[in-house]
Amino acid sequence: MVLAPWFDYHWLEAAVETATGWVGLGIIAVYSFLIAFVLPLPSEIVLAPKLQLGVPRNVELALIMLVSGLGKAGGSVFAFHIGQEAKEAGPIVRFLKRSRFDVIEWSEKQTVELARKYGYAGLAMALSVPFFPDTLSIYAFAVLERDYLKFAAATFVGSVGRLLVTVLFFSGAFALL
């Protein structure tokens, strides 16, 4: 479920990048919720703002990761519900299977493999890969599974994991310069 390609997302990215204060955490939560089920945007962008909360930067980053993870878990539960409905509504699945990119086949293949090997931990691992669009993984897994709570926990862990991997990668990369 992706908005029309002509829809301009840049204003939302700009809002996240320039977010400040406690309201900025709210903006990050809403953004994270939306990217879990509808927006094909990078989740790593939530690490960009300097919120100026009056706490050390590492505490600020921890708060950003927590809020983003909760927002994405909430959005994934919404996507999970849509996925459960899609299982019942054959036309949606048939439409996606006929689509030019065959989204269902590709994402099911990747997600089913992870699900078979690792279950919900596989979803968390898939979502921990930085800069990989996670909306497809969320929907593919949502169609295959039934447990809302485990699904939300896996997306939370995967989302926070992705942000941690990103921070660790970039802090290590900058240390080499």
Side-chain angles (χ1 to χ4, degrees), residues 80 82-84 86-87 93 104 108 138-145:
F80 189 83
I82 292 170
Q84 297 302 306
K87 279 196 283 193
V93 173
I104 295 288
E108 272 186 359
I138 288 171
Y139 271 103
F141 208 83
V143 171
L144 299 171
E145 295 298 326

Side-chain angles (χ1 to χ4, degrees), residues 94-166:
R94 284 193 300 277
F95 169 77
L96 289 172
K97 284 187 176 187
R98 286 189 307 242
S99 72
R100 192 170 76 144
F101 299 107
D102 203 357
V103 171
I104 295 288
E105 181 183 341
W106 180 83
S107 58
E108 272 186 359
K109 183 178 175 184
Q110 303 301 315
T111 305
V112 167
E113 183 65 29
L114 282 171
R116 282 190 183 136
K117 283 186 177 181
Y118 307 107
Y120 287 97
L123 174 61
M125 287 188 295
L127 295 177
S128 292
V129 177
F131 307 106
F132 185 77
D134 50 7
T135 308
L136 291 177
S137 297
I138 288 171
Y139 271 103
F141 208 83
V143 171
L144 299 171
E145 295 298 326
R146 295 193 179 278
D147 190 321
Y148 280 79
L149 186 59
K150 288 179 182 176
F151 188 79
T155 56
F156 175 80
V157 169
S159 299
V160 171
R162 170 190 294 234
L163 297 175
L164 280 171
V165 168
T166 303

Side-chain angles (χ1 to χ4, degrees), residues 28-91:
I28 288 169
V30 169
Y31 177 83
S32 298
F33 180 90
L34 291 173
I35 62 173
F37 77 93
V38 73
L39 297 179
L41 299 174
S43 58
E44 294 80 8
I45 198 168
V46 301
L47 297 170
K50 306 287 190 259
L51 296 175
Q52 303 167 354
L53 299 175
V55 297
R57 179 65 178 158
N58 59 345
V59 173
E60 189 174 282
L61 283 172
L63 285 170
I64 288 170
M65 289 178 198
L66 176 67
V67 167
S68 179
L70 290 172
K72 195 176 290 181
S76 71
V77 168
F78 189 74
F80 189 83
H81 179 70
I82 292 170
Q84 297 302 306
E85 295 294 321
K87 279 196 283 193
E88 308 300 323

Side-chain angles (χ1 to χ4, degrees), residues 13-20 27 48-51:
E13 289 178 308
V16 171
E17 289 173 337
T18 59
T20 58
I27 292 169
K50 306 287 190 259
L51 296 175

